[in-house]
Amino acid sequence: MKEWTREERYRVLQGADDILGLYESIKESDYRQTYHLQPITGLSSDPNGFVYHKGVWHLFYQWCPWGAVHGLKYWYHTASKDLVHWKNCGVGIYPDSFYDNKGVHSGSGFSTGDDLYLFYTGNHRDEDWVRTPYTCVAKLEDSGELIKAPQPLFGPHENYTEHQRDPKVVYDEETQKYYILLGAQSKDLKGKVLIYSSDSLLEGWTFVGELRVPGFEDLGGMWECPSIERISGKDVLVFSPQYTTLPNRNQSTNHNIYLLGKMDYKNLTFTAEGNYRHLDYGFDFYAAQFAANNGDPDRAVLTAWMGLPDNHYPTEAEDWEGSLTLPRELRLVNNRLLQRPVPGLASLREKAVVLDEELPRVCELEVSNHQGQDFELKLFSKKDGSGGFCISYDSQTKLCTVDRSQMDQHFNAELGECLTVPLEDGLTKLAVYIDKSSVEIFINDGQVTFTSHLYPTKQEAYYSASSHLDLQAWLLKPAVTDDFVI
C-alpha cells in the first residue's frame, strides 16, 4: 500500500488535467459501480448537502481526488430528478478560503423559497497543524455558481475538543427558530451534540447548549453526523457514535444508530422511547444523512457512506475507493423504521432472468422463505460450491448470519468477517441488490438492512441456495453516469 505524505494528501486541485490520467485509469476497473454513486477519482466518503430543491435532488459527497486516502476534502456535486438516475455536476465546494484551507468537511443542505444553502464544516489548520473547525455557509445558485459567505457563522466552542463538525440545520415550528446540530466531543472524551439557534438562517447564531439524551450519556467518544427528522409525527434521532464497541458489531468502533422519541427544543432534550437500533447491521455503512425538504411528513429519504473511517478496501490499489448506498425511503411502522430502496429503483429492472449456476454481477434478487425455515444462500461461490458470501438463517434463535470470510479478497478482517443480525420476527423475505463492488440486503421488507462491500474475483461467479427458497432475479440497467466533470 502506498505511503502518502502530507503534501501529497493535501495538494490543491488546480484543474481537470491534474486527475484526467487517473480517471482514465480507474474507469476501466472491474469494480466500478453501475447504479451506486462513486467518486470519479480518489476517495468518496460522507454524503453531504442532501436536499430536494426546485424539482431536483442534490447530493454531494466528501471527495479527495488524488487517491484512496483521506486528505484535502472537497464536496463533489451530483443531481437527480428521481433519486435513481444521477449525473455528475462537478466540484460543489472548494477548500479555497482561510476558514476551510485544509478541507471542506461534512454538512447539510437547506432549501428555502428559491434559495439553496449549504452548511458545512470548514477545516482550518495553522502552520503548526493545529485544527480550528468553523461552521460555514454557502449559497448554490441555479447556474451552479457557489457563493461562500465571507465569514463563518461561528467558530468552535472552547469547552469542547477540536472535534466539532457536521452541521445539520433544522427549523422548529413550535419555537419558530432555526437550529444547528453539531457532532462534538467533550473534554472528558464523550460524544455530544451541540445546539445553536437563530431567528435568521444566515446570521445571529448563538450557542444554546448540549442536547440531552437521558440514558445515553456514555455512548461513545464522539457523535458524528447528528440529525433529527420527524416521521409520521414522531422524532428520529440519528447519529454515528465512535470509539466504542457495541453488541453484534464485532471489533468495529464506528456505528450508525437511531432512537425514536420526542424532541423538545425549548429544553434541548430528546426523550427516547426505548433502546437504540442500528440503521444497518452490515460491515460498511456510516455517516447516514437524511434529505432535507423531501416533501412528505410520513417518510424520510436517506443515504449513507458505504465504508467506515480508517477501513481499507481492495480498490485502493487502483487509487480509488468508496460508494454511497442506495437512497432509501424510511417509514414508521409499528414503532420502528422500515427502510426500502426508493420505489423508482424498480425502473432499472431490465429483464427477469432464470438463474442457473452462475450469478450476474449486477442484479436484483428477491428471495422468499415462505415458512420461515432455516436456510443458506451463497453468493459468488466458486464452481465447485466452495467459498462465497454466505447468508444463513437459524429459525430457533431468529439470527441471520452474514459471512464474507470465504471470499478470495479479504479486507478489514481484523474487525471481523462474520456478523449476526438479530430479528424480532421470522425471516421470510430478502431483497438483495448486487452491484460490481457491493451487496445491500433488505430483510422482511426493510425491517433490517445489511450493507457490505464485496470484490469477487473472476472465478467467484456462482451461487447456491437451500432448495426450499424461491428466487427471482432481474438484471439491472446502469443509473449513474461516470462522466469526467470537474
Side-chain angles (χ1 to χ4, degrees):
M1 187 182 300
K2 176 179 177 178
E3 293 293 328
W4 290 80
T5 65
R6 180 182 292 175
E7 289 72 21
E8 288 175 318
R9 291 188 291 119
Y10 284 87
R11 177 184 169 194
V12 174
L13 182 65
Q14 300 295 333
D17 289 345
D18 285 355
I19 55 172
L20 178 58
L22 183 58
Y23 165 78
E24 294 291 346
S25 172
I26 72 169
K27 75 176 185 179
E28 303 302 324
S29 169
D30 191 42
Y31 298 115
R32 295 294 284 172
Q33 304 271 57
T34 64
Y35 60 96
H36 287 81
L37 283 169
Q38 62 196 336
I40 56 168
T41 64
L43 175 82
S44 64
S45 53
D46 298 10
N48 294 148
F50 194 11
V51 60
Y52 185 69
H53 178 69
K54 296 170 71 171
V56 176
W57 298 90
H58 297 269
L59 176 56
F60 303 77
Y61 56 76
Q62 270 192 45
W63 179 53
C64 184
W66 305 114
V69 63
H70 292 276
L72 187 64
K73 296 289 182 68
Y74 300 69
W75 277 24
Y76 192 89
H77 185 195
T78 67
S80 173
K81 291 187 176 181
D82 61 3
L83 289 170
V84 176
H85 299 86
W86 294 89
K87 67 176 183 178
N88 290 340
C89 301
V91 179
I93 310 181
Y94 287 83
D96 57 4
S97 77
F98 172 84
Y99 301 103
D100 55 28
N101 70 331
K102 288 299 181 286
V104 179
H105 287 194
S106 288
S108 58
F110 196 91
S111 172
T112 175
D114 289 332
D115 297 328
L116 176 56
Y117 295 99
L118 304 174
F119 294 78
Y120 66 95
T121 298
N123 183 42
H124 173 83
R125 289 188 184 271
D126 65 16
E127 58 207 18
D128 296 319
W129 211 247
V130 175
R131 184 205 309 265
T132 304
Y134 293 97
T135 297
C136 305
V137 64
K139 183 180 181 183
L140 185 65
E141 302 285 2
D142 291 344
S143 65
E145 180 185 7
L146 188 107
I147 304 172
K148 291 183 179 179
Q151 300 291 326
L153 297 175
F154 50 84
H157 195 289
E158 62 182 4
N159 292 344
Y160 300 84
T161 72
E162 64 177 21
H163 297 294
Q164 301 175 45
R165 53 181 175 265
D166 313 335
K168 173 64 177 181
V169 181
V170 297
Y171 180 76
D172 177 56
E173 294 284 353
E174 183 178 352
T175 58
Q176 295 190 0
K177 287 182 178 292
Y178 295 97
Y179 294 89
I180 286 179
L181 312 179
L182 274 190
Q185 182 186 63
S186 65
K187 289 190 175 179
D188 60 353
L189 307 183
K190 292 183 179 181
K192 301 292 181 181
V193 176
L194 308 186
I195 301 183
Y196 292 75
S197 74
S198 176
D199 295 324
S200 170
L201 189 61
L202 301 179
E203 60 186 3
W205 289 93
T206 58
F207 177 70
V208 292
E210 285 181 14
L211 176 66
R212 289 182 287 275
V213 190
F216 299 91
E217 294 85 355
D218 298 319
L219 182 58
M222 170 67 189
W223 287 9
E224 290 200 305
C225 305
S227 181
I228 296 175
E229 190 79 6
R230 179 159 288 186
I231 306 174
S232 297
K234 187 162 291 190
D235 294 316
V236 184
L237 170 63
V238 166
F239 58 98
S240 294
Q242 294 183 295
Y243 313 125
T244 185
T245 56
L246 296 177
N248 300 306
R249 304 297 302 146
N250 291 342
Q251 298 305 307
S252 178
T253 58
N254 298 285
H255 315 278
N256 217 156
I257 64 176
Y258 75 90
L259 291 162
L260 297 179
K262 174 65 177 175
M263 178 62 194
D264 179 352
Y265 283 97
K266 290 181 179 179
N267 295 299
L268 306 183
T269 299
F270 186 94
T271 303
E273 294 181 354
N275 204 359
Y276 66 82
R277 283 190 169 105
H278 293 279
L279 268 175
D280 189 282
Y281 278 86
F283 300 103
D284 303 300
F285 184 100
Y286 192 74
Q289 182 165 122
F290 287 114
N293 193 36
N294 89 83
D296 185 340
D298 293 323
R299 75 157 188 177
V301 177
L302 172 145
T303 187
W305 172 23
M306 199 181 294
L308 288 179
D310 306 317
N311 278 15
H312 298 281
Y313 298 89
T315 56
E316 289 185 16
E318 301 174 346
D319 287 324
W320 74 278
E321 186 266 301
S323 186
L324 297 186
T325 68
L326 292 172
R328 302 175 178 187
E329 181 178 273
L330 277 62
R331 294 187 182 273
L332 195 62
V333 177
N334 296 328
N335 215 38
R336 68 179 301 168
L337 290 181
L338 292 189
Q339 301 182 60
R340 297 170 181 168
V342 292
L345 197 69
S347 68
L348 297 185
R349 290 178 176 176
E350 187 172 18
K351 63 178 180 179
V353 292
V354 177
L355 293 176
D356 52 20
E357 292 182 344
E358 293 196 30
L359 180 69
R361 280 292 302 276
V362 178
C363 65
E364 175 191 346
L365 301 180
E366 191 173 279
V367 183
S368 297
N369 181 33
H370 298 292
Q371 305 303 318
Q373 302 174 62
D374 297 0
F375 71 78
E376 181 179 86
L377 171 65
K378 277 189 175 184
L379 308 178
F380 297 110
S381 56
K382 296 176 178 146
K383 193 168 186 178
D384 64 3
S386 64
F389 180 82
C390 185
I391 306 167
S392 60
Y393 174 63
D394 184 326
S395 59
Q396 291 296 112
T397 61
K398 292 186 179 178
L399 290 176
C400 179
T401 301
V402 182
D403 186 347
R404 67 182 183 192
S405 66
Q406 301 305 307
M407 298 292 292
D408 283 349
Q409 298 211 60
H410 297 267
F411 49 98
N412 307 312
E414 69 281 2
L415 300 179
E417 296 181 289
C418 181
L419 287 170
T420 56
V421 183
L423 302 176
E424 295 177 12
D425 303 316
L427 199 166
T428 58
K429 187 177 181 181
L430 296 175
V432 184
Y433 292 84
I434 298 172
D435 209 341
K436 287 295 190 70
S437 56
S438 66
V439 175
E440 287 184 73
I441 305 168
F442 296 80
I443 300 174
N444 291 346
D445 290 320
Q447 287 183 354
V448 170
T449 66
F450 190 104
T451 299
S452 178
H453 269 304
L454 204 62
Y455 303 87
T457 60
K458 293 189 184 302
Q459 62 183 343
E460 295 174 311
Y462 301 87
Y463 87 99
S464 64
S466 297
S467 60
H468 64 274
L469 293 180
D470 179 19
L471 271 68
Q472 291 184 283
W474 295 267
L475 300 181
L476 297 180
K477 294 177 287 190
V480 298
T481 65
D482 217 4
D483 299 333
F484 185 66
V485 182
I486 302 299

